Amino acid sequence: MKEMFKIFTFVLLICGVFGADEDEVKSVMEGDSVTLNLDPTQIQGFIQIQWRFGKLGSTIAKIVGKTISYEDEEIFEDCLQLDQTGSLTIKNMRTKHSGRYKAEISHSTGTLDIIFIVTVFVSPDVIDAVKGEMKLMSVTEGDPVILQTDVPQLTRDMLVVWRSGDEGKLIAKHDIEAKSSPFYVETDGRFRDRLKLDQTGSLTITNSRTNDSGLYRVKISSNNQTTYKRFTVTVSVPDSGLSGGAVAGIVIVLLLLVQAVAGVMYFFRRPITTKLPNQTWIVQHGDHVTLNPETEIQRGDEIQWLFGAEETLIAEIKGENREMKTHEGPDERFRDRLKLETTGSLTIKFIFTKHSGLFTLKIRRGRETLYKRFNVYVKSESLQSV
């Protein structure tokens, strides 16, 4: 019996020192938070839990008994929250927080390692239309449109993301933490040189035009909270026969009428946007990866494959002859690596870490547009050996 007890203790020790669960994968958008949860059965009777980050395994937080402490890591300044269960929350995330997180759980019998692979993508998705209060605004063509965030002053941890239209196209972004200048997206030239963000994150559209009318959304993320606002903007042509007050009154009445009949007229007055289920892929360095639409491609469909937050065109099928083209993409990183099928499937050959990111499939079918997004994370060679 004594020998059996020794063998049992030895087995526990070996499992404790070398045991590790399969890596858990998390994908989030910049500005959001993520919590890396530990199983209660894994922490029973723990002596110490130490969280490490990155290839070098730098310690970022630990709990000994009931005492919680954080290391002075500039990359995680005021972003970490460790609770008594050992679970770690990273708030207001940026792409620099992507990587490998390891929880080392020390028991009297040994150490158990739990590994999480976290990918933070630049925010390309549509801001949830049901979030945030709605404000109605009307201006005369040529006047500025000022969309106010009601934030007194942007702090150094804030991320401001502005989008426009039903599809939520990114038009402006300011990452205070990165100490960079405001970033404006000029994909179609619609707002060229007419956008300006101020120190409160408010957006001004100068020299307004009638085609600036529509929906605008803002998401403001910080370490403490995330807020949303929505604006419905109407830019009208000036009418010299009516006073400004009369024009404003007519605009307000028209807005109320439009809202009243929106449910009936929605189907007829605006395009249909359909979101197909998103997918997250974790792939090995050097592999071939095929991204499938998983929906039947119909005759006449126009297909585009886009990459990154800027939605750079990398492949397309268009025209009556179903002409297929692939493009080299930013920095020519996709040169001789893409293969496009008539089914709409896209293969990335010999994929490297620089090919990690967001791939968006856009299918135009009459007045309907279908979107499917793939978050692709390529494990570096050093992670494969872990």
Side-chain angles (χ1 to χ4, degrees), residues 22 81 98 139 141 307 309:
E22 184 178 348
Q81 183 177 334
S98 296
V139 298
E141 186 176 32
F307 177 73

Side-chain angles (χ1 to χ4, degrees), residues 147 163-164 190-191 205 212 214-217 230-231 233:
L147 308 178
R163 298 180 181 276
S164 73
R190 174 182 166 191
F191 295 107
I205 308 169
D212 294 335
L215 181 63
Y216 293 81
R217 314 167 194 178
R230 297 178 296 157
F231 303 83
V233 174

